[in-house]
Amino acid sequence: MTFIRAIESRADGSLEGYARLLDTDLEDFEGRNGKLGKGKKGKKTLGEKLKGSEVRGRVNGHHQENDMENLSLFEIIKLGKSATQSVVDDWIESYKTDRDPALLELINFFIHCSGCKGAVSSEMFRHMQNSEIIRKMTEEFDEDSGDYPLAMAGPVWKKFKLSLCEFIAVLVRQCQYSIIYDEYMMDTVISLLTGLSDSQVRAFRHTSTLAAMKLMTALVNVALNLSINLDNTQRQYETERNKSIGKRANERLELLLQKRKELQENQDEIENMMNAIFKGVFIHRYRDVIAEIRVVCIEEIGMWMKMYSDAFLNDSYLKYVGWTMYDKQGEVRLKCLTALQGLYYSRELNARLELFTSRFKDRIVSMTLDKEYDVAVQAIKLLTLALQSNDEVLTAEDCESVYHLVYSAHRPVAVAAGEFLYKKLFSHHGPEDEGRPRRGRQCLNANLIRTTVLFFLESELHEHGAYLVDSLWDCASELLKDWESMISLLLDEPYPGEEALTDAQEAALIEIMLCAVRQTCECHPPIGRGPGKRVLTAKEKKTQLDDRTKITETFAVALPLLLAKYSVDPEKVTNLLQFPQYFDLEIYTTGRLEKHLDALLRQVRDVVEKHTEKDVLEACSMTFHALCNEDFTIYNRVDIVRSQILDEQVDKFHRLLEDILQEGEEPDEDDAYQVLSTLKRITAFHNAHDLTKWDLFTSNYKLLNSGLQNGDMPEQIVAHALQCTHYVILWHLAKVSEGSASKDDMVLLRRQVRAFCMMCQRYLNSISTVVKEQAFTILCDALLIFSYQIVASGREALEPLVFSPDASLQSELLNFILDHVFVDQDEDSSTDDEANKIEALHRRRNLLAAFCKLVIYNVVDMKTGADIFKQYMRYYNDYGDIIKETMSKARQIDKIQCAKTLILSLQQLFNEMLSDLGCNFDRSTSAFCGIKELARRFSLTFGLDQVKTREAIAMLHKDGIEFAFKEPSPQGEGGPPLNLAFLDILSEFSSKLLRQDKKTVHLYLERFMTFQMALQRDDCWLPLISYRNSLQVGADDDTLSVISGMSSRSSARSRRSKQPAASKRKLPEEESSCSSSDVSMWVNREQSGPHTPVMMSSPHIVSTVLRDTKKLCPEQGYMGVYSMSNETQHTPLQQPHQHMDYNSQVAWMMAQKQQQERASLQYGKMRGHIQHTIRRGSGLMEDDEEPIVEDVMMSSEERLDDLNEGMDFETMDIDLPPSKNRRERSELKPDYFDPASIMDDSVLNVSMF
C-alpha cells in the first residue's frame, strides 16, 4: 500500500501547472537525441521553463546544521564528510519545495564534476539554448591543464569518483517511487548528460559518460524491482480471479488491476529512459577514442547483463562486448574479460552464452597469448570458468594452447594456466574413485600423480619441472606434497593388472618430487619467476618448519632405498642426492634415525665409487657438504666417512701418478681411465671441501708439466688437473685471507700463483681445443682474483699476492680471443649439428666474457679492448650485448681512455681497409661504409648528456685529427694525406661536441691545414670539407628558440595568455662554458701569434613575445617581432686585422663569403617561418571570432571526420520482458569517432549475431 500511495502522490495538485520537460530540458545537441517522452506540444527553452525562478543556496537539513549551507553540491560530495544518503535527502527536500533551483544545482553539479570553473546561471537558463550553454561552459573550461577530477591522481580524487557514483545510485534509489516519473527531473538530467557526452572536450565527455552509465545501472535496478513487483501483482491477480465467485473480492481485483496498470506504465517510463541513455550515450561512447571512456561503458554493460539478465543477457548486447575484445588498448580488453567472468561464473547465465561462446571462443583463446599479461591471465581464468559449465566447450587444440603456458616465465599467467590444467585433468572424479584407499599406489592421488607425470613427459620440456610444480602449487599443493604416494609408486611392486612406471616416467616422477620438495622448503618461485625470496609471515614459517620435518622423516627412511634401487642411473641418482640439502638434520638425532643415516652414507659412498659423471660426483660432494654441519651431532659420523673416501681417492691418485711418471711413456687406456676417474672425484669434492692438507698442488703440477714436456697426456686429464689446481689455490687463498696464515704460507701461495699462471699460459698453445679453452678461462679468473683489487676492503696484507699480466701475456690472451672467438659459424668445421653450433656459441661467449672482465677491471690495458670493440658490427648478433656492456663499464671507469680506445679501434679498421683496398679506395665501398656505421654506433653509446662526455669526445677528435694528418700524401706534395678520409668517419662524433668545443676542435684542425688545403674542392678533399662543415654547424650560432612549436591553436592561445618567464633556461653548453678552458688545454694555441680565422658569428636573433597583436602592420615585416642586435645590423662584415699574412687573409675572405651565404639562407628560412607563424598562430589572429576549444584528451588526432564507416552498427530498443516499447525515439545521428581508430582491423570483419 505504501507503494500505491507513492504512485498516487504523483497526481498531487502541487505538481499541476508544471510544463512537462522532456527532450528539451537541455536542447537536443544538433538533433542527435530521440525524444524522452510522449505528448510533446513544442519545444521551450530552458529560460522559459525556469522563468521567474532564482538560484538559491542550500539551507535545508543536515548541511545547514553543520554550517555547510554555503557549499555547493560538488564541494559537499568532494569533501565526503556527509553521508550520501543525507545529501540526497536534502536535495529531494529542496526539489519538492522548488524544483527549478534544485534542478539547476544538480546541473551545475555535473558541470563542476567535469572540472569546469563556470556555472549555469538562471539568466543563462532563461535566454540561451542548450547548445549555447554547452559552448559557454566549454569556453570557461580551463585550457591550461588537461587534469579534471576523474583524471587526477591521489586518494582524494579516487574517493570523489566513488562518491560521485554512489550519489547517482542513491539519488535514483530515493526517487524511484515518485520523482523519476514526473517527466521533468530525469529528462533534464538525461538530456544534459547526452549533450555533454558528445562534447569535444574530454573532461565533459568522460564525466558525463560515467554519470550516464551509472544512471543507467541505477535505472536497471529500478526496472528489475518493477519487474519483480509486476510479476507478483500479476500472480496475485490470477490467484484472486481463479477463486470462486462467492470467495472472490472484486475490490481487491480492481485494486490489483489498477496497481498492475501503474506498474506497467512505470516500466514503460523506465524503458524510455534507458533507451535514451543506451542509444544517446552508450552506442557512441563505447567506441570513443579515449580508452577510459570505453572501459566505463564495457564495465557497466556487464553489470546490466548480470543484474537484469532477462532483459540484457542476449546476443544483441553481448555483441558489443565481443567486438570490444578486439580493442587496441589492453585495459579495455581486460574489462571485457572481467565483465564476461561475472556472467560465466553463474551456471544459470552460462547456458545463455552458448552462441556467444561459439562465436568468440577463438578470440578468447587467442587472448591467452596477449601481450598484456593481465589480459592473458583473465583470459585463462575466463576459459577455466567456461570449463566448469561445459567440459566440451573447448577442443583439444584449444586446451593445448593453454597447457603450455604453465611453463611461462610470468608467474600469474603460469598459475592461471596451472589452475586451468588442474580443472581439466585432475578435477573429474568418477564413482569408481570413491572406494580408493587414501594412501599407497591405488589411492586417488597416485592416479593424479601418474597424470602429472604423463603431462610432463608429453610437454617435452623436461628441464622445466620446477616451473610446472610452481604453476600447480597454488591449486594442487596437497597433491604435490603427497610424498608417501610418490615413494610408493617408485618402490612398491605394481598390483596385478596395474601398469608399472616406465624408466622415463620414474625419472620424471623423481624430478617432480625433487622440485616439490624444493618449493616446500624454499617457499619462493624458481629462478626467472617473481622477485625472488620474500619475507615469510609467522604462519608461513611455521608451515615451512612442519613441512621440512615431514620431508626429513619421510625421505630419511626412503632415500637409501631409492638410491639402492636406482644407483646405476646417473640422472635419477643426481636428483635423489639433492634431497639431503632440504633435511632438518636434527631429526636424525631426535627421531632416532641414525641407522638410516648410516645407510644413506653407505649408498653415497657406493655411488662415488661407481660413477664418474661430473653431475653425479658434484651431487655427492654437495650431499656431504650439507650433512657435514658442525652444529649437529651427526657431524663426526659424516666426517669420518668423508675422510675415508678422500683418503682412498688421494692415495690412489698419487700411486697412479707415480706409475705414469716413472714409466715415461704414454699411459695406456686403462691407466688413463683410472687416473681420469680418480681426478674427477677429487676435483668434484675439492669444489666444496677443503683438501689443502693432502698437498694436491705438487702432484697436479707434476702432471701438467709432464703433459707439456711429452705432449702425450690425454686432454681430459689435463683439463681436470687444471681445474683441480685452481681449486687448490682458491682454498689456499681463503685460508690466507682469514688472517691466521704465516709468512711462509703467503710466500708459498705467491709462488704457486705465478707458477700456475705460467703453466696456463703455456697451455694456451695446446693442440687440444678443450685444454686451450679450459686454460684460458682459468687463467682469466686467476688474473681477476689476484689483481690489485684483492687488497680492497681492508685486505692490504694480501698485497704481495697481486699478480699483473705483462705485455706478452696480454697480447697472448688477446690473440687467443681473436683466433677462437671471432670466427664465423661456417669456419667452425667441428660443429655440424644445430644443437652443437649453439653449444659452441655459448662456449665462445663465455671465453669473450672472461676476457672482457679483465678489460673493465683494468687487469689488462684498456687499449686491448680496441680489437674487441671493432668487431661490434660484424658479430653483433653473437656478441653484441657483451661488447656493448663492456664499452659501458669501461666508460664508467675512465671516460677519456675509453674514448681513445674507441677511436683506436676505428683507426685499426681503417688501416686494415687501406692494406686491402689500397690508398685510392672508393668511399662508397662496403668496407668504408661499415667503418662509418660503426662510428655512428659508437657515437650513440655516449648518450645525450654532452657535459658528462665533453672531455672524452674532445680527446677522441684530437686523436682522430692527428691520425688523419699523420701520414703524408702518397701522391707527393699538394696531395691529400693518406688517412684524410678518416675525417669522414670522425664527423660522426661531431654532433656530440658542445658548441664552444666545436670552435676549439676547429682551431686544432686548422693547425694541421695549409693554405692550399683550404682552397681545395676536389673529391679527394671532400672528407676535410665535410668534417669542417660538421664543426661549423651550430658552432657559432647563438640563435635561441624562436617558437617552441605550434601544435594547436589552443595551445598557442594558452601561451599567449601567460606571463613571460623572468629568465631563460640555460642550454647545457652555456652552463658548462665556464670550463671550456679545460677542454682546450690539449690545444696549445699561441695567444700572441696570428691565427687562421674561422667563420664570424652569425646575427643574434632575439625572441620577443608579441603582446599587442593588432599593432602588427604588414609593412613592418618580421622586424616588428624579431629584432637584430645593433652590432650585427650595422657591421655585417668586419674588416680583417691589418697584421694578417696573405694566407690568413684569403682564408678569412672565404669564411666571410660562406658567412654571407649562411646568413642569407637563415634569413629566408626565418622570414618564411615568421610568416607561417603569423598565418597559423592563434596568438596573432585579429579576427578570432569563435572560441578555440582544446580537446584535452583527443590523442593526436584533432578531429575524426569518418562517421562510422568501418562497421554497420544497428541499434535496438531496450525491451524489458514481458512488456514492449510503445514509444519510439527519433533517429540517432552518426558519431564523431571512427571505430577503426580504437579497434584492430580484425574486429571490423566481425559479423553480428
Side-chain angles (χ1 to χ4, degrees):
M1 298 302 294
T2 303
F3 177 79
I4 297 175
R5 287 194 298 269
I7 297 297
E8 292 175 349
S9 66
R10 295 178 53 198
D12 190 0
S14 61
L15 296 179
E16 295 181 0
Y18 285 109
R20 300 183 64 185
L21 184 61
L22 299 174
D23 187 46
T24 55
D25 295 333
L26 277 176
E27 189 181 29
D28 190 4
F29 192 64
E30 298 183 7
R32 164 178 166 175
N33 301 310
K35 296 180 180 180
L36 290 178
K38 54 186 177 179
K40 308 297 185 298
K41 296 182 180 180
K43 292 189 177 181
K44 293 192 284 187
T45 65
L46 291 176
E48 294 173 350
K49 296 166 190 172
L50 298 178
K51 195 170 184 179
S53 63
E54 297 293 338
V55 181
R56 302 181 309 164
R58 305 192 62 213
V59 295
N60 295 317
H62 179 80
H63 304 299
Q64 184 181 15
E65 296 173 359
N66 290 278
D67 297 329
M68 301 178 66
E69 64 274 9
N70 294 325
L71 296 180
S72 66
L73 188 58
F74 167 75
E75 292 170 338
I76 295 173
I77 296 297
K78 176 184 173 182
L79 291 176
K81 296 182 179 180
S82 303
T84 306
Q85 182 76 37
S86 61
V87 175
V88 172
D89 290 342
D90 288 346
W91 184 88
I92 293 176
E93 289 296 327
S94 62
Y95 182 84
K96 291 180 179 179
T97 304
D98 193 346
R99 63 182 185 177
D100 293 338
L103 193 57
L104 185 57
E105 184 180 16
L106 186 61
I107 291 174
N108 281 318
F109 168 72
F110 291 113
I111 297 295
H112 294 159
C113 287
S114 302
C116 182
K117 303 302 182 183
V120 181
S121 63
S122 58
E123 187 69 20
M124 294 168 57
F125 245 10
R126 294 189 188 99
H127 304 292
M128 298 178 66
Q129 301 293 329
N130 295 342
S131 58
E132 295 175 346
I133 292 176
I134 294 177
R135 178 176 297 178
K136 182 65 176 177
M137 293 299 101
T138 301
E139 292 176 6
E140 297 184 10
F141 198 85
D142 183 11
E143 297 180 23
D144 294 335
S145 174
D147 292 334
Y148 55 96
L150 295 184
M152 291 183 182
V156 175
W157 298 110
K158 185 177 180 180
K159 182 180 179 181
F160 169 76
K161 180 179 179 181
L162 298 176
S163 300
L164 171 62
C165 299
E166 182 184 5
F167 173 80
I168 296 173
V170 174
L171 178 64
V172 175
R173 186 177 69 241
Q174 294 299 103
C175 300
Q176 64 177 320
Y177 299 117
S178 59
I179 297 180
I180 63 173
Y181 304 112
D182 66 0
E183 297 183 346
Y184 185 73
M185 187 270 285
M186 288 301 297
D187 292 348
T188 303
V189 172
I190 292 174
S191 296
L192 169 70
L193 297 179
T194 304
L196 290 176
S197 69
D198 198 29
S199 173
Q200 293 294 313
V201 180
R202 168 180 173 171
F204 282 148
R205 206 165 64 253
H206 187 186
T207 307
S208 61
T209 301
L210 174 64
M213 293 298 98
K214 292 298 180 181
L215 183 63
M216 177 76 168
T217 303
L219 291 176
V220 169
N221 194 23
V222 173
L224 180 61
N225 294 333
L226 286 175
S227 177
I228 295 174
N229 291 331
L230 189 60
D231 292 340
N232 293 336
T233 303
Q234 181 67 25
R235 186 170 54 255
Q236 294 174 6
Y237 177 79
E238 295 293 339
T239 302
E240 189 68 26
R241 192 180 63 175
N242 292 334
K243 292 181 180 179
S244 59
I245 298 177
K247 297 181 179 181
R248 184 185 305 169
N250 294 329
E251 294 182 358
R252 179 172 174 78
L253 282 176
E254 293 179 0
L255 185 61
L256 290 174
L257 191 60
Q258 180 65 23
K259 180 181 178 180
R260 186 182 66 177
K261 180 180 179 182
E262 293 175 352
L263 290 174
Q264 186 64 53
E265 292 178 355
N266 292 342
Q267 191 177 51
D268 293 341
E269 288 286 344
I270 297 298
E271 288 179 16
N272 292 326
M273 298 176 192
M274 292 192 298
N275 269 318
I277 297 176
F278 187 80
K279 292 183 178 181
V281 180
F282 178 87
I283 290 296
H284 303 274
R285 296 285 69 79
Y286 93 99
R287 295 174 288 130
D288 196 280
V289 295
I290 304 303
E292 291 88 343
I293 298 178
R294 304 199 296 273
V295 166
V296 170
C297 295
I298 296 302
E299 181 179 14
E300 294 307 312
I301 195 175
M303 292 293 297
W304 307 339
M305 290 186 289
K306 185 178 179 180
M307 291 170 52
Y308 200 175
S309 58
D310 292 339
F312 290 96
L313 188 55
N314 54 63
D315 301 330
S316 299
Y317 297 99
L318 284 169
K319 65 183 178 184
Y320 297 109
V321 181
W323 287 338
T324 316
M325 284 195 296
Y326 294 84
D327 197 284
K328 292 180 180 179
Q329 295 296 325
E331 56 183 320
V332 183
R333 300 193 300 271
L334 179 64
K335 190 59 64 176
C336 292
L337 294 173
T338 54
L340 290 173
Q341 286 177 11
L343 304 178
Y344 278 94
Y345 187 80
S346 173
R347 292 185 178 273
E348 298 178 358
L349 303 181
N350 212 329
R352 306 184 190 179
L353 297 170
E354 293 182 358
L355 181 58
F356 175 84
T357 303
S358 62
R359 181 64 187 84
F360 291 98
K361 180 197 66 175
D362 294 340
R363 174 57 182 165
I364 299 174
V365 173
S366 66
M367 292 174 74
T368 59
L369 300 176
D370 197 278
K371 63 180 181 180
E372 302 288 343
Y373 286 123
D374 293 340
V375 177
V377 170
Q378 299 304 325
I380 297 172
K381 291 183 177 180
L382 181 60
L383 293 176
T384 305
L385 292 174
L387 279 179
Q388 295 179 354
S389 60
N390 185 4
D391 191 43
E392 305 298 330
V393 68
L394 298 177
T395 63
E397 292 77 9
D398 296 335
C399 295
E400 289 175 2
S401 64
V402 181
Y403 289 160
H404 76 278
L405 293 177
V406 297
Y407 298 103
S408 172
H410 191 261
R411 192 171 191 273
V413 173
V415 170
E419 184 178 359
F420 178 87
L421 175 65
Y422 185 79
K423 295 289 185 182
K424 180 67 177 177
L425 300 182
F426 304 146
S427 59
H428 301 287
H429 306 307
E432 66 279 1
D433 296 332
E434 296 180 358
R436 289 178 177 269
R438 301 186 60 183
R439 300 293 178 186
R441 293 182 63 94
Q442 292 186 331
C443 69
L444 178 61
N445 278 350
N447 189 31
L448 298 180
I449 292 171
R450 285 174 176 268
T451 305
T452 306
V453 171
L454 292 176
F455 173 80
F456 181 51
L457 293 175
E458 291 178 359
S459 62
E460 298 181 356
L461 292 170
H462 300 253
E463 299 177 359
H464 299 79
Y467 284 78
L468 174 62
V469 170
D470 181 57
S471 301
L472 294 171
W473 194 254
D474 292 349
C475 58
S477 58
E478 294 184 2
L479 171 65
L480 297 173
K481 290 182 181 180
D482 191 357
W483 323 117
E484 292 85 353
S485 298
M486 296 181 183
I487 295 173
S488 178
L489 287 172
L490 293 172
L491 294 178
D492 296 347
E493 294 295 329
Y495 291 96
E498 181 185 4
E499 184 178 357
L501 295 177
T502 63
D503 182 70
Q505 291 173 351
E506 290 176 340
L509 177 55
I510 292 175
E511 182 177 355
I512 292 175
M513 185 167 58
L514 172 63
C515 295
V517 169
R518 183 187 297 116
Q519 185 90 356
T520 301
C521 296
E522 295 181 353
C523 295
H524 64 79
I527 297 175
R529 273 192 189 170
K533 294 184 179 180
R534 59 182 180 87
V535 179
L536 302 180
T537 62
K539 183 178 180 180
E540 290 175 337
K541 289 181 179 179
K542 184 179 184 304
T543 304
Q544 181 187 29
L545 293 176
D546 295 342
D547 290 338
R548 193 172 184 182
T549 301
K550 182 180 179 182
I551 289 172
T552 307
E553 293 173 349
T554 302
F555 286 97
V557 178
L559 186 57
L561 302 177
L562 293 170
L563 287 173
K565 181 176 181 180
Y566 301 110
S567 60
V568 296
D569 193 319
E571 181 184 0
K572 298 173 184 175
V573 169
T574 302
N575 287 329
L576 289 173
L577 287 173
Q578 297 183 44
F579 281 91
Q581 301 177 27
Y582 308 102
F583 284 0
D584 183 2
L585 301 181
E586 191 68 25
I587 302 298
Y588 274 113
T589 304
T590 59
R592 311 247 178 192
L593 302 175
E594 289 86 355
K595 63 177 182 179
H596 298 289
L597 176 61
D598 295 336
L600 174 62
L601 296 176
R602 286 194 301 270
Q603 292 298 328
V604 175
R605 184 171 184 174
D606 185 55
V607 169
V608 172
E609 295 175 354
K610 287 182 179 179
H611 292 273
T612 60
E613 293 83 3
K614 179 181 177 181
D615 293 339
V616 176
L617 295 176
E618 288 183 351
C620 293
S621 175
M622 294 305 298
T623 298
F624 276 105
H625 183 267
L627 296 176
C628 287
N629 192 329
E630 297 181 1
D631 297 335
F632 299 96
T633 57
I634 64 173
Y635 171 75
N636 293 330
R637 191 188 300 262
V638 179
D639 185 53
I640 293 174
V641 177
R642 179 184 62 176
S643 300
Q644 292 174 353
I645 295 175
L646 293 176
D647 286 337
E648 292 177 3
Q649 297 300 321
V650 173
D651 292 343
K652 183 179 179 181
F653 174 67
H654 288 320
R655 186 175 63 255
L656 292 172
L657 182 60
E658 290 178 1
D659 295 342
I660 293 177
L661 296 179
Q662 287 177 359
E663 293 177 359
E665 300 177 356
E666 182 180 357
D668 56 18
E669 293 183 1
D670 184 56
D671 293 340
Y673 176 78
Q674 292 295 330
V675 173
L676 179 60
S677 60
T678 306
L679 192 56
K680 282 183 175 180
R681 297 185 182 101
I682 295 175
T683 304
F685 272 84
H686 210 346
N687 187 16
H689 304 271
D690 185 6
L691 308 184
T692 53
K693 64 180 181 180
W694 278 277
D695 189 21
L696 292 171
F697 182 86
T698 304
S699 302
N700 282 288
Y701 191 82
K702 290 180 181 180
L703 177 62
L704 293 172
N705 194 32
S706 174
L708 283 174
Q709 293 177 356
N710 301 328
D712 54 2
M713 194 66 64
E715 61 179 21
Q716 289 295 330
I717 294 179
V718 175
H720 283 84
L722 289 171
Q723 188 66 58
C724 185
T725 309
H726 185 51
Y727 290 151
V728 172
I729 292 176
L730 292 182
W731 277 106
H732 199 172
L733 175 62
K735 182 179 180 181
V736 170
S737 301
E738 294 175 356
S740 59
S742 62
K743 183 177 180 181
D744 295 337
D745 292 335
M746 188 78 69
V747 173
L748 176 62
L749 178 59
R750 185 172 184 270
R751 188 183 302 116
Q752 288 178 350
V753 170
R754 279 153 177 76
F756 179 63
C757 289
M758 292 180 61
M759 184 68 68
C760 291
Q761 182 179 0
R762 296 169 64 185
Y763 267 107
L764 292 178
N765 300 319
S766 173
I767 59 174
S768 172
T769 303
V770 175
V771 173
K772 288 190 294 186
E773 292 181 353
Q774 182 78 319
F776 179 84
T777 303
I778 293 176
L779 180 57
C780 290
D781 290 344
L783 292 175
L784 185 62
I785 293 171
F786 291 95
S787 65
Y788 66 94
Q789 299 186 24
I790 197 176
V791 300
S793 302
R795 295 191 296 265
E796 290 79 7
L798 301 179
E799 186 176 358
L801 299 178
V802 175
F803 177 74
S804 300
D806 54 14
S808 62
L809 179 55
Q810 295 184 29
S811 177
E812 197 165 353
L813 291 173
L814 178 60
N815 291 331
F816 182 89
I817 288 294
L818 297 178
D819 296 338
H820 295 84
V821 173
F822 294 107
V823 295
D824 295 331
Q825 292 281 2
D826 299 336
E827 298 177 7
D828 194 356
S829 58
S830 61
T831 56
D832 297 330
D833 184 53
E834 188 67 25
N836 292 334
K837 288 183 178 181
I838 296 176
E839 183 64 27
L841 176 60
H842 282 298
R843 291 200 307 269
R844 293 196 297 270
R845 285 175 58 86
N846 291 333
L847 296 175
L848 179 60
F851 181 79
C852 288
K853 285 189 292 185
L854 301 181
V855 174
I856 63 178
Y857 286 104
N858 275 337
V859 179
V860 299
D861 192 354
M862 191 177 292
K863 288 185 178 181
T864 59
D867 293 275
I868 305 297
F869 297 159
K870 69 183 181 181
Q871 309 290 345
Y872 181 63
M873 288 294 296
R874 183 178 178 185
Y875 295 95
Y876 181 81
N877 293 333
D878 294 340
Y879 318 116
D881 55 337
I882 299 176
I883 298 176
K884 186 176 181 180
E885 185 66 18
T886 304
M887 287 190 290
S888 175
K889 295 294 184 182
R891 187 175 293 112
Q892 294 176 11
I893 296 174
D894 192 339
K895 295 183 179 67
I896 296 179
Q897 190 60 37
C898 179
K900 295 173 74 69
T901 304
L902 292 178
I903 200 66
L904 178 61
S905 64
L906 296 174
Q907 294 170 5
Q908 292 177 356
L909 288 175
F910 187 84
N911 288 331
E912 294 174 3
M913 181 193 65
L914 287 180
S915 62
D916 294 338
L917 303 180
C919 58
N920 296 323
F921 66 92
D922 186 2
R923 287 187 295 114
S924 62
T925 59
S926 60
F928 184 83
C929 293
I931 302 175
K932 192 174 176 66
E933 176 63 20
L934 179 61
R936 188 186 70 83
R937 295 291 187 94
F938 284 168
S939 176
L940 294 176
T941 61
F942 283 95
L944 300 176
D945 194 342
Q946 295 176 321
V947 177
K948 290 184 178 179
T949 61
R950 183 181 185 186
E951 296 182 0
I953 292 293
M955 187 61 64
L956 184 146
H957 280 272
K958 175 180 178 294
D959 290 356
I961 292 173
E962 292 175 353
F963 175 77
F965 292 93
K966 181 179 181 181
E967 300 293 336
S969 173
Q971 302 173 3
E973 186 177 356
L978 178 63
N979 300 333
L980 186 66
F982 189 78
L983 293 178
D984 198 7
I985 298 172
L986 190 60
S987 63
E988 294 292 338
F989 298 93
S990 298
S991 62
K992 297 299 180 180
L993 284 168
L994 293 179
R995 183 172 55 194
Q996 56 268 36
D997 293 344
K998 286 184 178 182
K999 297 180 181 179
T1000 307
V1001 173
H1002 189 268
L1003 286 174
Y1004 190 75
L1005 173 66
E1006 290 185 340
R1007 295 181 58 183
F1008 293 87
M1009 294 173 55
T1010 63
F1011 173 70
Q1012 290 78 11
M1013 291 183 182
L1015 298 178
Q1016 296 295 335
R1017 290 295 182 269
D1018 297 336
D1019 290 345
C1020 59
W1021 294 94
L1022 286 179
L1024 176 60
I1025 298 174
S1026 64
Y1027 182 59
R1028 291 187 66 191
N1029 291 337
S1030 68
L1031 295 177
Q1032 292 170 353
V1033 172
D1036 52 356
D1037 186 5
D1038 295 329
T1039 304
L1040 298 178
S1041 176
V1042 179
I1043 294 181
S1044 60
M1046 305 295 295
S1047 60
S1048 64
R1049 295 191 299 167
S1050 58
S1051 59
R1053 285 186 61 202
S1054 63
R1055 285 195 299 269
R1056 180 184 60 185
S1057 60
K1058 293 182 179 180
Q1059 294 296 328
S1063 62
K1064 295 185 176 67
R1065 181 178 61 88
K1066 293 184 178 181
L1067 297 175
E1069 296 87 354
E1070 296 171 348
E1071 294 174 349
S1072 58
S1073 61
C1074 58
S1075 61
S1076 61
S1077 59
D1078 299 336
V1079 180
S1080 59
M1081 287 178 63
W1082 47 266
V1083 183
N1084 298 321
R1085 294 180 293 176
E1086 298 179 3
Q1087 299 296 334
S1088 59
H1091 297 266
T1092 304
V1094 296
M1095 291 188 299
M1096 298 181 59
S1097 299
S1098 61
H1100 295 255
I1101 302 176
V1102 181
S1103 176
T1104 305
V1105 180
L1106 183 64
R1107 291 302 175 190
D1108 190 359
T1109 60
K1110 295 187 178 182
K1111 293 181 180 180
L1112 180 64
C1113 301
E1115 59 271 20
Q1116 289 177 329
Y1118 73 96
M1119 295 302 295
V1121 186
Y1122 300 95
S1123 61
M1124 310 289 286
S1125 62
N1126 296 330
E1127 179 183 358
T1128 57
Q1129 290 181 23
H1130 299 292
T1131 58
L1133 295 177
Q1134 297 180 3
Q1135 298 298 326
H1137 298 286
Q1138 298 298 327
H1139 63 272
M1140 285 186 180
D1141 56 8
Y1142 174 75
N1143 293 342
S1144 300
Q1145 292 180 12
V1146 173
W1148 180 86
M1149 292 175 63
M1150 293 180 59
Q1152 293 295 342
K1153 183 177 180 180
Q1154 295 178 1
Q1155 173 71 7
Q1156 285 181 322
E1157 295 176 353
R1158 286 178 3 105
S1160 61
L1161 179 61
Q1162 186 170 354
Y1163 169 80
K1165 290 183 178 180
M1166 181 182 64
R1167 185 177 179 85
H1169 182 61
I1170 299 306
Q1171 292 174 352
H1172 177 73
T1173 303
I1174 296 174
R1175 188 166 54 249
R1176 290 289 305 275
S1178 60
L1180 303 179
M1181 295 295 292
E1182 297 181 0
D1183 53 350
D1184 191 6
E1185 298 178 356
E1186 292 188 1
I1188 306 301
V1189 181
E1190 179 180 9
D1191 183 2
V1192 294
M1193 299 286 282
M1194 285 286 287
S1195 68
S1196 61
E1197 296 97 5
E1198 299 257 331
R1199 181 172 297 182
L1200 299 175
D1201 295 328
D1202 285 339
L1203 300 181
N1204 228 3
E1205 293 180 0
M1207 191 183 301
D1208 183 18
F1209 290 92
E1210 67 176 42
T1211 58
M1212 61 164 297
D1213 289 340
I1214 298 177
D1215 190 5
L1216 301 180
S1219 64
K1220 296 183 179 180
N1221 289 332
R1222 301 183 187 131
R1223 290 174 288 182
E1224 299 295 334
R1225 303 292 179 179
S1226 62
E1227 184 180 358
L1228 297 173
K1229 76 167 198 175
D1231 193 18
Y1232 282 112
F1233 307 102
D1234 185 4
S1237 65
I1238 63 168
M1239 297 184 179
D1240 294 331
D1241 295 337
S1242 55
V1243 72
L1244 300 179
N1245 299 324
V1246 177
S1247 62
M1248 295 186 182
F1249 294 97

